Amino acid sequence: AQSVAQPEDQVNVAEGNPLTVKCTYSVSGNPYLFWYVQYPNRGLQFLLKYITGDNLVKGSYGFEAEFNKSQTSFHLKKPSALVSDSALYFCAVIKIGGTGGSYIPTFGRGTSLIVHP
Amino acid sequence: EPEVTQTPSHQVTQMGQEVILRCVPISNHLYFYWYRQILGQKVEFLVSFYNNEISEKSEIFDDQFSVERPDGSNFTLKIRSTKLEDSAMYFCASSDLEEGEAFFGQGTRLTVV
């Protein structure tokens, strides 16, 4: 089975500072990894994905994520946080190939990012 | 930009009543999903749908739930006899590839009283 862990319920950062939202995954094969953002009372909005190739993936709104196979991590980062980045962030995984996995996106529990002015 | 649309945005129903949540996926997408989220917490998979049939479902998706694609555009989730614990935000999503990113609708907030 595939799973995603987001170890932090909440991340606090000052505006202008770099931010990191952590995600680790567990699959037996090759993962496709995604980050989504959810603003209050809204749906999930796709930010970026890793499929293959360069481990550093760039996405919307200046966000990027780094795939680290040895640490099974896919942390979301941004060099300079904005107050408007405050939202709920979800990591998701799809397992590609092999057995015991699923193409259904499996989501982490979410991390609330709060950017202080 | 194409988007997934869901109606209604908010549905209040009495326990034991049937509800139908409606979704219009992005037009060229082939893979459809329903997820739910309780109190802004974890996003839980309910069911996936491809080629006019359920491709996968979770333990949550019991006999009280059903999905249908009645025409070429709509994708519905029916809860036959609602329970208090069905109160949640229900999200529809669609994807053009089996392994592609899913695009989500704005959700339907279901409140069972």
Side-chain angles (χ1 to χ4, degrees):
Chain A
Q2 63 207 46
S3 65
V4 167
Q6 293 182 242
E8 303 153 317
D9 289 337
Q10 185 171 303
V11 170
N12 291 277
V13 65
E15 188 173 33
N17 284 0
L19 69 87
T20 299
V21 182
K22 296 180 181 177
C23 170
T24 58
Y25 65 89
S26 175
V27 296
S28 58
N30 296 318
Y32 282 16
L33 294 155
F34 305 83
W35 274 102
Y36 287 82
V37 60
Q38 185 182 29
Y39 297 100
N41 299 312
R42 304 295 295 273
L44 280 73
Q45 186 176 337
F46 170 74
L47 275 180
L48 51 79
K49 66 181 177 183
Y50 170 81
I51 296 176
T52 187
D54 194 347
N55 288 343
L56 185 64
V57 178
K58 294 187 183 298
S60 306
Y61 312 119
F63 283 93
E64 57 189 29
E66 186 167 12
F67 173 65
N68 187 318
K69 189 172 183 177
S70 64
Q71 297 185 2
T72 63
S73 68
F74 188 58
H75 300 332
L76 182 70
K77 300 181 180 183
K78 187 173 182 180
S80 179
L82 299 172
V83 173
S84 57
D85 292 330
S86 298
L88 200 54
Y89 289 81
F90 289 92
C91 182
V93 65
I94 293 174
K95 178 185 176 300
I96 303 301
T99 59
S102 169
Y103 287 105
I104 306 303
T106 300
F107 286 84
R109 56 190 288 182
T111 298
S112 177
L113 173 67
I114 299 175
V115 181
H116 303 277
Chain B
E1 182 176 333
E3 60 181 14
V4 176
T5 57
Q6 290 185 244
T7 56
S9 57
H10 192 187
Q11 173 91 47
V12 181
T13 188
Q14 288 196 331
M15 190 170 52
Q17 294 297 304
E18 175 184 286
V19 294
I20 298 176
L21 310 183
R22 302 181 191 280
C23 169
V24 179
I26 294 174
S27 61
N28 64 335
H29 285 187
L30 301 175
Y31 301 88
F32 312 116
Y33 312 90
W34 283 101
Y35 285 82
R36 77 174 186 189
Q37 185 182 37
I38 296 176
L39 294 178
Q41 297 301 314
K42 184 175 182 178
V43 178
E44 300 176 303
F45 167 71
L46 294 177
V47 65
S48 62
F49 194 87
Y50 169 71
N51 200 26
N52 288 320
E53 62 182 20
I54 291 174
S55 50
E56 196 165 334
K57 61 183 180 181
S58 71
E59 293 177 350
I60 302 169
F61 194 87
D62 61 22
D63 292 343
Q64 293 298 318
F65 291 87
S66 62
V67 289
E68 194 175 47
R69 188 158 163 81
D71 53 41
S73 60
N74 290 285
F75 179 51
T76 62
L77 174 69
K78 181 192 292 186
I79 307 175
R80 192 167 299 115
S81 178
T82 50
K83 303 185 288 287
L84 294 176
E85 53 264 38
D86 293 329
S87 295
M89 195 76 161
Y90 287 80
F91 291 107
C92 173
S94 68
S95 174
D96 59 346
L97 299 172
E98 190 171 22
E99 69 274 20
E101 63 270 27
F103 290 84
F104 284 76
Q106 303 285 51
T108 293
R109 182 174 298 280
L110 177 64
T111 303
V112 183
V113 297

